[in-house]
Amino acid sequence: MEEITKKYWKDYQKEIADDNFYYERSCIRQSFFPGSEAAFLKILREILGKNVIDDPNQHTCTGIGYHSDIVPFDTTMTVVARIFSLMKDHGVNNFIPSCVTSFGIFNEVVETWNHFPEEYEKTKHFLKQATGRDFEIPQNISHASDIIYKYRKELKEKMPYRLVNRHTGKPLRVVEHIGCHYSKLFAKKSEGGMEFSKVLVGMIEEWGGEVVDYPERRHCCGFGFRQYIVMANRGYSVANTKKKFESMQPYKPDFIVANCPGCAMFMDRWQYTIAEMEGTTYDDNKMGIPVLTYEEMAGFLLGFNPWDLGLQLHQVQVEPLLDKIGIPYDPKDKYVGKSGNFLGEPEKPENLITVYGK
Amino acid sequence: MENKKSVLIIGAGPAGISAAKSLADDNVNVTVLEKEHSFGGNINNWAKLFPNFKDAAEVKSQLVQNFENNKNIKILYNKKVTELKKHNQKWIANTSDGEVFESNATILSTGFKVFDAKYKEELGYGIYPNVITSVEFERMYKDGKIHTQQGSVPKRIAFLNCVGSRDEKVGNHYCSRICCIAAVKQAIEFKELYPESEAFIFYMDIRMAGQFYEELYRKSQEKHGVVYIRGRISETSSTIDKKVQIKAEDTLAAMPLRMTVDMLVLMVGVEASETTTILSKQNNIDGPYGFAKSIDIHTADNYSNENGLFLAGSCKRPLTLTESIADGKSAAFSVIDYLKQTK
Amino acid sequence: MKNWGFKIAEPRTLDLDKADLKLYSKIVEKVPSARRCLMCGMCSATCSAANHTNFNFRLVHHKLRMGMFESLNSELDKCMLCGKCRMLCPRGVNTRAVIYNMRIVLDNMYYKNI
Amino acid sequence: MGKFYDLLMQDVRFVEGLNACMNCGVCTAICPAAEIYKYDPRQICDIVQSRNEEKIKELLLTDTIWYCGQCMSCKARCPRGNTPGLIISVLRKISQETGLFTNSEKGRQQFAIKRTVGENILNTGYCVHIDIVNPKLHPEQGPVWKWYYENKEEIADRLGANYNKDGSGALRKIPQQNLDEVKKIFEVTGGLDLFNKIEKYSESAAKSMNIYFEKEGINNEYFFQTYMENSGKHEN
């Protein structure tokens, strides 16, 4: 019988590497939050002085295809092996995926190889056959958010701002949302275990905020892969987010932060959808509750320009939050592109208020 | 005193004390070492006993009569045995305070401990208010009032079976046997105190394998209207008004179920006590889950693989009080047999 | 009106905070033996109506117990009140009376809603 | 042993995902799909462990297995260490390999996913890319997304991306050699086979449903049928 060591998972600390990373970019984060990935690299390289490989050759892990069942597991395992092989080319051993789905995929694949050595042999063979490549399993696989969590204290020292309401002096009330595939696949891969992962809580509390514990905190955002990709299924996706918002509403959170790019995007967009379809918003001002990526949260506390971080890409406007903290921003800079030209403004939704101060 | 044999009993719970009495009746010198400051073991966790609501204190006072004024029995408290080994046909026990006890035979009656519900984080024990264990319920019941952290009587209470039992996530595959009936008992006690309140029991199987258990289950439905929901609670959380939100499946309707209750009672299972595990391992008589292993569950259940080391009660597996008392006596007869054979 | 291509799905979760559990007590008042039901399914196993419809008395009884009334009315119409289930019930539940009274209670509710 | 059960057992994920289920329901209790659909992961485990071929076939034929959202919340809680979500993955795989998936509305959607995400992986090296999140197909993305989509290079590059260009950075153009190798992996490992099966069975489904089908792209009636059809009988 397998000996199971009992753990108070809340106190569980996983191993997180400290330097020489291979950064695996996320399809969703690159598309929806390119500024977040840029901010992450800037924080690691310029503030923490780490060596991070940003490989132009890297590609998707096929995770979204795998979980929507159009990519067989053998294919996914071999694609993952190719990415590990790319990492080997750069001579680093610590793998940090940006995406939570990818994080789950990499862990699932490695666990499968560990449990079923014949699958490992099969993958090695497939990769060799297809590409002539060899690969090694990384020494450490951590999610990119784990690195920020690990260095939260060092970063705090560099932060001019805190998660504190400057008018009241009270901590901001923050809803944290852990992507399911960060914590629910393998407890030992989640800082603090499956139930009460600390990766975001650690950042929020260290940087002055207060975590809101609401009943549906651990519920999935509702992405559901095929349940969103296919238009006809999106009612599933939005219904799950709605349930979370109904549950958090009485706690009046100031904002939401997620470590998964998909969750961050959905919790933002579904607020718009619910507002337009049903007229409901979950804050007092009909503006919605801002949803941030953890890189955005770290970035603006470190004093990065909100419009270089990409906060203008959120449908729920973030200015009320920036004002609460006291982070300066230039309204004229918000809709300006790389060329320095004004790009025009997005249209205004009918119900969700996007104009601040009216 | 010519060559009188001595027996050491580790643990003054129901099994240990019953064994001591039987041995003493046969004119054997018995020393009982108890790690706590009082006897009774897990009886001390109960207010009333299933299935007949007998006062646990009454059983305790009956146990006292077994050893009080008995010149053959010596009970020593606050003696935690840390090492037990065989040496020259004698059993040597060392306690944490440095004492050494020698005997011709030793009975392990080190009993069980209740599962630490904090390991099941999804159930919120130690995290959320108003999630309590069955042991804490007993304590409240003993004090005469079941109340929430806010001090009010629960309008709705739920009991959850199999907390720490039948669960590979915490390494316990087995059934603890006593929790189902304990939940029925506690639900009835609650409804007798507060007939206007509602009581729910979440279960997977209702295992009423004891005399009058099934009758009690039936009574809880018929007389007290306790509602049974077939499904295991998957997750609890705290609502803004400090109620406990529960998620389970009503498997009989194949529907996800959600409800809030004022109090959730976790029916914590039975695990080998620390001393059971340590001493069994030292003597290579440890079985699954850290319990002690007898030679044969049917025919030699009080014998261990070590000559002169005997087992009594729930150090072997989850047992009821009734069974533990009987098992203590049975162990005593095995010891007497052994002593006769050895000289 | 914008064409979204989907609508927000409503949860089907059984919410015991909202469920009306009082209705069941009306049945129990009339048929006290109903409380003893174990949900063993012997009734539905022997049910004559279940041979040619998807009628499941165990489930219908359970749904009422948990306050799920929706569509129960039409479900009950499948029962022929033959009473065979009553002969088998190991807890001596007067199943036939349960159905009979469920019809009355549900009909009352139905008319009230009109 | 039956045909379908044998197929299930050939997949390591099934071996990993199903030990004996005791029907406790902790999976269904927190399942996002069970909230919305008449879907019950516990019952699915029970059906596959019963090894009832007829019932397993029914799963492969109908909408049920396609309701799961693969969040894997079920894995976190199961007291027997099962993963219903993995069992679903294997059932879906078999449903596609045998062509049974085109018998259900939700199953037919695999075609739409293959034509979007699937093609995208091979053509660009991304599962999801800003270029395929067209506001017309994604009204829920809202006006800010539309604004971003219409000015994507300007905006993404301001935010540090390297939109559709050589070199490293977000949204870069992935060098062809990588795409070639990924494609070769798909060829060797059965990825392309699966794509071809989805295409083949979908084409014949389109034919029998009398819906216009094209060999490529998303501008054909069958794509929109599978992408948008919702008979309304699934949700509560």
Side-chain angles (χ1 to χ4, degrees):
Chain A
M1 190 172 305
E2 198 184 349
E3 185 84 11
I4 293 188
T5 324
K6 295 191 180 69
K7 280 193 179 75
Y8 294 126
W9 282 102
K10 270 167 71 115
D11 306 329
Y12 171 73
Q13 287 179 305
K14 72 171 183 180
E15 201 188 313
I16 305 170
D18 55 9
D19 204 351
N20 298 317
F21 304 109
Y22 185 93
Y23 186 46
E24 163 74 3
R25 287 180 178 272
S26 148
C27 301
I28 293 191
R29 207 183 295 275
Q30 289 176 83
S31 297
F32 292 87
F33 306 106
S36 289
E37 292 205 344
F40 177 77
L41 288 173
K42 187 173 163 185
I43 290 170
L44 257 69
R45 286 170 173 164
E46 293 173 22
I47 299 180
L48 298 171
K50 304 292 179 193
N51 173 31
V52 194
I53 307 296
D54 178 18
D55 185 356
N57 287 316
Q58 57 168 293
H59 47 77
T60 176
C61 70
T62 73
I64 291 172
Y66 169 68
H67 284 299
S68 51
D69 305 281
I70 53 153
V71 178
F73 194 39
D74 280 341
T75 307
T76 297
M77 286 197 286
T78 315
V79 170
V80 165
R82 183 178 191 272
I83 300 170
F84 288 161
S85 163
L86 291 174
M87 180 179 80
K88 200 174 156 226
D89 294 348
H90 289 272
V92 290
N93 271 326
N94 300 317
F95 195 77
I96 41 169
S98 161
C99 174
V100 163
T101 299
S102 301
F103 179 72
I105 288 284
F106 294 122
N107 283 319
E108 187 182 336
V109 167
V110 171
E111 289 285 313
T112 304
W113 289 339
N114 290 339
H115 261 124
F116 303 95
E118 68 277 14
E119 295 291 317
Y120 184 48
E121 292 307 317
K122 195 166 77 181
T123 307
K124 281 208 280 203
H125 170 75
F126 278 147
L127 186 69
K128 194 83 182 170
Q129 193 189 347
T131 68
R133 286 175 168 273
D134 298 311
F135 72 99
E136 276 162 27
I137 298 174
Q139 217 160 57
N140 184 281
I141 300 177
S142 296
H143 186 248
S145 62
D146 291 327
I147 314 298
I148 302 292
Y149 166 81
K150 183 177 174 118
Y151 293 104
R152 63 196 185 283
K153 291 193 166 76
E154 287 82 343
L155 290 173
K156 183 184 180 183
E157 283 168 23
K158 309 272 163 77
M159 285 176 175
Y161 306 103
R162 292 283 178 269
L163 293 173
V164 171
N165 185 324
R166 67 169 169 155
H167 305 296
T168 63
K170 285 188 179 153
L172 292 182
R173 300 170 59 73
V174 189
V175 158
E176 52 97 56
H177 179 83
I178 301 291
C180 291
H181 289 201
Y182 174 82
S183 57
K184 290 176 186 171
L185 291 180
F186 304 102
K188 63 179 184 207
K189 299 289 178 190
S190 164
E191 184 78 11
M194 270 175 193
E195 299 296 330
F196 297 100
S197 177
K198 278 201 295 224
V199 64
L200 294 172
V201 172
M203 293 180 213
I204 295 163
E205 290 180 347
E206 190 65 41
W207 300 339
E210 182 184 290
V211 174
V212 172
D213 188 17
Y214 64 107
E216 298 295 346
R217 179 176 174 189
R218 287 165 278 172
H219 196 74
C220 171
C221 76
F223 172 26
F225 302 95
R226 70 188 321 285
Q227 316 302 350
Y228 173 77
I229 295 165
V230 178
M231 186 183 240
N233 299 344
R234 287 177 196 155
Y236 164 114
S237 201
V238 61
N240 280 294
T241 295
K242 184 178 164 186
K243 175 172 140 154
K244 289 181 75 73
F245 276 101
E246 284 172 350
S247 174
M248 76 174 77
Q249 187 176 20
Y251 297 82
K252 297 186 185 297
D254 292 297
F255 71 97
I256 298 163
V257 63
N259 67 340
C260 173
C263 307
M265 183 268 283
F266 286 114
M267 292 175 88
D268 179 62
R269 305 300 200 266
W270 292 134
Q271 286 190 79
Y272 156 77
T273 309
I274 296 166
E276 300 310 298
M277 277 175 138
E278 300 184 335
T280 313
T281 49
Y282 299 95
D283 66 322
D284 293 340
N285 304 315
K286 289 209 155 293
M287 290 193 71
I289 305 166
V291 190
L292 306 177
T293 66
Y294 66 92
E295 299 101 321
E296 288 169 344
M297 173 171 77
F300 68 56
L301 292 177
L302 283 163
F304 297 3
N305 176 354
W307 313 136
D308 288 341
L309 273 170
L311 293 177
Q312 66 275 46
L313 296 187
H314 297 244
Q315 184 60 53
V316 174
Q317 302 300 298
V318 296
E319 283 91 335
L321 174 65
L322 298 177
D323 284 347
K324 259 183 217 170
I325 304 173
I327 293 172
Y329 55 90
D330 176 4
K332 285 198 213 82
D333 189 28
K334 187 174 180 184
Y335 298 116
V336 167
K338 171 89 175 168
S339 61
N341 295 333
F342 177 66
L343 302 171
E345 285 190 23
E347 294 157 24
K348 307 268 177 286
E350 275 176 38
N351 294 334
L352 185 74
I353 297 177
T354 54
V355 183
Y356 178 45
K358 300 225 166 128
Chain B
M1 294 292 244
E2 80 312 336
N3 200 21
K4 201 168 165 184
K5 295 282 173 62
S6 71
V7 172
L8 183 71
I9 295 178
I10 306 175
I17 286 175
S18 307
K21 162 87 160 93
S22 300
L23 287 166
D25 287 351
D26 210 52
N27 206 27
V28 177
N29 257 344
V30 182
T31 305
V32 186
L33 302 181
E34 169 56 49
K35 70 174 169 26
E36 301 294 332
H37 57 82
S38 171
F39 66 96
N42 282 294
I43 298 181
N44 294 302
N45 281 334
W46 296 91
K48 286 184 177 173
L49 302 171
F50 58 79
N52 57 357
F53 298 92
K54 180 171 178 162
D55 212 318
E58 210 180 301
V59 175
K60 238 188 127 175
S61 66
Q62 282 168 335
L63 283 181
V64 179
Q65 292 163 20
N66 283 344
F67 60 83
E68 222 177 28
N69 306 321
N70 190 326
K71 59 180 178 5
N72 286 340
I73 302 179
K74 188 165 72 176
I75 294 199
L76 301 170
Y77 295 108
N78 303 311
K79 296 284 176 215
K80 185 176 176 174
V81 178
T82 54
E83 206 186 347
L84 177 69
K85 56 174 189 271
K86 198 176 189 180
H87 186 71
N88 292 340
Q89 299 305 307
K90 295 268 187 185
W91 283 91
I92 318 288
N94 296 319
T95 61
S96 55
D97 56 0
E99 278 200 72
V100 181
F101 296 86
E102 203 186 271
S103 62
N104 298 91
T106 291
I107 298 179
L108 211 58
S109 53
T110 41
F112 71 91
K113 67 168 191 249
V114 293
F115 173 75
D116 178 357
K118 282 188 187 143
Y119 289 122
K120 293 294 291 174
E121 284 175 355
E122 63 266 47
L123 299 176
Y125 178 73
I127 299 168
Y128 297 129
N130 299 318
V131 180
I132 66 167
T133 66
S134 41
V135 176
E136 287 162 344
F137 181 96
E138 285 292 322
R139 223 171 283 149
M140 275 194 200
Y141 184 75
K142 212 187 256 183
D143 296 339
K145 189 189 173 193
I146 309 297
H147 60 86
T148 63
Q149 200 191 59
Q150 306 91 291
S152 56
V153 169
K155 291 206 167 56
R156 247 186 188 186
I157 195 166
F159 298 84
L160 169 63
N161 276 327
C162 301
V163 177
S165 314
R166 307 176 74 191
D167 186 351
E168 77 156 50
K169 281 270 186 326
V170 295
N172 296 341
H173 292 233
Y174 57 89
C175 164
S176 291
R177 298 179 67 236
I178 60 169
C179 335
C180 281
I181 180 65
V184 171
K185 178 194 85 103
Q186 293 187 342
I188 291 176
E189 287 168 342
F190 178 77
K191 286 290 284 187
E192 276 175 346
L193 280 176
Y194 314 110
E196 297 302 312
S197 293
E198 295 174 288
F200 299 83
I201 294 182
F202 287 85
Y203 71 98
M204 289 194 289
D205 303 287
I206 294 277
R207 298 190 162 169
M208 294 290 122
Q211 196 183 21
F212 304 128
Y213 291 10
E214 179 69 16
E215 288 85 339
L216 205 60
Y217 168 36
R218 181 171 163 143
K219 184 177 156 194
S220 75
Q221 294 178 290
E222 197 165 26
K223 187 166 170 219
H224 300 287
V226 174
V227 179
Y228 287 80
I229 299 176
R230 195 196 170 282
R232 194 165 182 157
I233 294 176
S234 191
E235 176 179 306
T236 70
S237 41
S238 189
T239 65
I240 202 159
D241 48 1
K242 292 192 175 170
K243 289 183 178 184
V244 185
Q245 180 184 294
I246 290 170
K247 287 185 183 181
E249 182 194 354
D250 177 355
T251 61
L252 293 174
M255 296 264 281
L257 174 150
R258 184 166 57 165
M259 70 188 294
T260 53
V261 294
D262 301 300
M263 182 176 266
L264 172 65
V265 185
L266 307 178
M267 306 308 298
V268 281
V270 169
E271 287 190 329
S273 71
E274 236 171 80
T275 313
T276 297
T277 305
I278 291 170
L279 301 186
S280 320
K281 280 206 170 132
Q282 282 172 7
N283 293 286
N284 295 320
I285 56 157
D286 52 313
Y289 313 109
F291 285 107
K293 194 168 76 183
S294 68
I295 287 183
D296 184 86
I297 190 170
H298 306 292
T299 57
D301 198 27
N302 297 112
Y303 291 89
S304 76
N305 262 329
E306 281 295 323
N307 246 348
L309 180 56
F310 295 84
L311 309 173
S314 56
C315 64
K316 291 178 288 189
R317 69 190 76 97
L319 293 176
T320 63
L321 172 61
T322 322
E323 292 161 342
S324 289
I325 290 174
D327 199 52
K329 290 181 181 165
S330 158
F333 285 113
S334 301
V335 172
I336 290 165
D337 264 359
Y338 169 79
L339 294 177
K340 276 182 194 149
Q341 283 163 25
T342 47
K343 203 153 273 180
Chain C
M1 215 23 212
K2 199 163 185 164
N3 181 18
W4 298 90
F6 59 93
K7 43 181 211 254
I8 304 175
E10 287 299 321
R12 67 172 190 124
T13 313
L14 165 56
D15 187 340
L16 278 191
D17 293 349
K18 290 178 188 147
D20 182 1
L21 304 181
K22 293 279 182 282
L23 199 69
Y24 186 64
S25 57
K26 284 187 192 164
I27 306 280
V28 171
E29 234 170 72
K30 299 274 189 208
V31 196
S33 64
R35 275 187 154 168
R36 296 199 294 256
C37 172
L38 279 169
M39 296 290 154
C40 70
M42 218 148 167
C43 46
S44 20
T46 189
C47 176
S48 305
N51 279 329
H52 43 85
T53 66
N54 60 357
F55 182 60
N56 181 336
F57 174 65
R58 200 265 310 148
L59 187 59
V60 167
H61 181 201
H62 181 69
K63 283 191 166 176
L64 187 78
R65 205 182 236 191
M66 300 309 245
M68 295 180 267
F69 315 130
E70 219 178 300
S71 78
L72 282 194
N73 235 341
S74 56
E75 277 299 304
L76 287 175
D77 286 345
K78 294 171 186 163
C79 168
M80 303 175 292
L81 287 173
C82 73
K84 199 169 153 202
C85 45
R86 190 183 168 187
M87 293 162 67
L88 267 90
C89 179
R91 279 281 183 92
V93 177
N94 188 345
T95 46
R96 196 167 177 272
V98 171
I99 296 196
Y100 187 72
N101 281 281
M102 270 168 87
R103 281 185 173 172
I104 295 171
V105 170
L106 288 170
D107 277 354
N108 281 342
M109 199 174 72
Y110 180 66
Y111 290 126
K112 219 171 24 193
N113 286 346
I114 287 180
Chain D
M1 292 271 164
K3 180 180 136 206
F4 290 120
Y5 191 78
D6 286 347
L7 285 175
L8 287 168
M9 281 299 287
Q10 281 167 20
D11 196 306
V12 283
R13 293 171 300 169
F14 187 76
V15 178
E16 179 76 16
L18 183 67
N19 305 299
C21 162
M22 57 180 163
N23 277 289
C24 69
V26 289
C27 48
T28 305
I30 40 81
C31 173
E35 291 248 345
I36 307 303
Y37 295 126
K38 287 185 191 73
Y39 172 73
D40 191 327
R42 172 186 60 81
Q43 286 183 322
I44 294 196
C45 292
D46 205 35
I47 288 170
V48 293
Q49 84 176 1
S50 78
R51 306 186 184 193
N52 182 325
E53 285 289 307
E54 214 171 293
K55 284 188 176 167
I56 296 176
K57 186 174 180 191
E58 200 183 315
L59 286 179
L60 301 173
L61 275 167
T62 53
D63 291 306
T64 320
I65 54 170
W66 303 101
Y67 290 149
C68 162
Q70 291 281 296
C71 69
M72 301 292 174
S73 302
C74 46
K75 183 179 201 282
R77 300 279 161 70
C78 178
R80 283 271 175 92
N82 301 329
T83 310
L86 279 182
I87 296 169
I88 288 288
S89 296
V90 183
L91 286 165
R92 287 175 176 179
K93 180 184 88 175
I94 295 171
S95 181
Q96 291 179 114
E97 282 178 349
T98 52
L100 297 174
F101 72 106
T102 56
N103 288 284
S104 65
E105 178 189 314
K106 297 287 183 197
R108 285 192 291 276
Q109 294 170 343
Q110 289 309 97
F111 173 72
I113 300 170
K114 188 262 161 188
R115 284 282 172 103
T116 50
V117 176
E119 297 297 329
N120 217 39
I121 292 173
L122 293 184
N123 295 336
T124 69
Y126 295 87
C127 274
V128 172
H129 188 281
I130 179 168
D131 288 351
I132 66 159
V133 190
N134 186 327
K136 286 203 180 84
L137 297 179
H138 291 271
E140 73 288 341
Q141 284 289 337
V144 170
W145 176 257
K146 187 163 170 271
W147 169 79
Y148 176 31
Y149 186 82
E150 285 162 359
N151 302 286
K152 48 196 165 196
E153 185 165 4
E154 271 276 4
I155 296 168
D157 285 2
R158 177 194 171 161
L159 304 178
N162 184 25
Y163 177 78
N164 212 17
K165 292 182 277 290
D166 293 336
S168 62
L171 300 167
R172 80 218 160 277
K173 188 173 193 306
I174 295 176
Q176 189 59 37
Q177 195 205 334
N178 299 283
L179 302 183
D180 293 345
E181 286 192 15
V182 169
K183 187 156 186 184
K184 193 80 185 130
I185 290 173
F186 268 69
E187 225 175 276
V188 166
T189 55
L192 283 188
D193 279 351
L194 180 59
F195 277 13
N196 293 337
K197 277 179 186 154
I198 294 173
E199 287 288 340
K200 182 183 92 183
Y201 291 119
S202 297
E203 188 171 0
S204 65
K207 195 178 269 174
S208 68
M209 292 166 81
N210 211 9
I211 300 173
Y212 179 66
F213 181 92
E214 264 179 26
K215 295 261 183 209
E216 263 175 41
I218 63 167
N219 284 318
N220 62 84
E221 207 190 333
Y222 190 71
F223 174 81
F224 284 100
Q225 175 75 19
T226 54
Y227 188 70
M228 297 171 82
E229 180 192 11
N230 189 337
S231 58
K233 61 175 192 203
H234 310 282
E235 292 93 346
N236 196 25

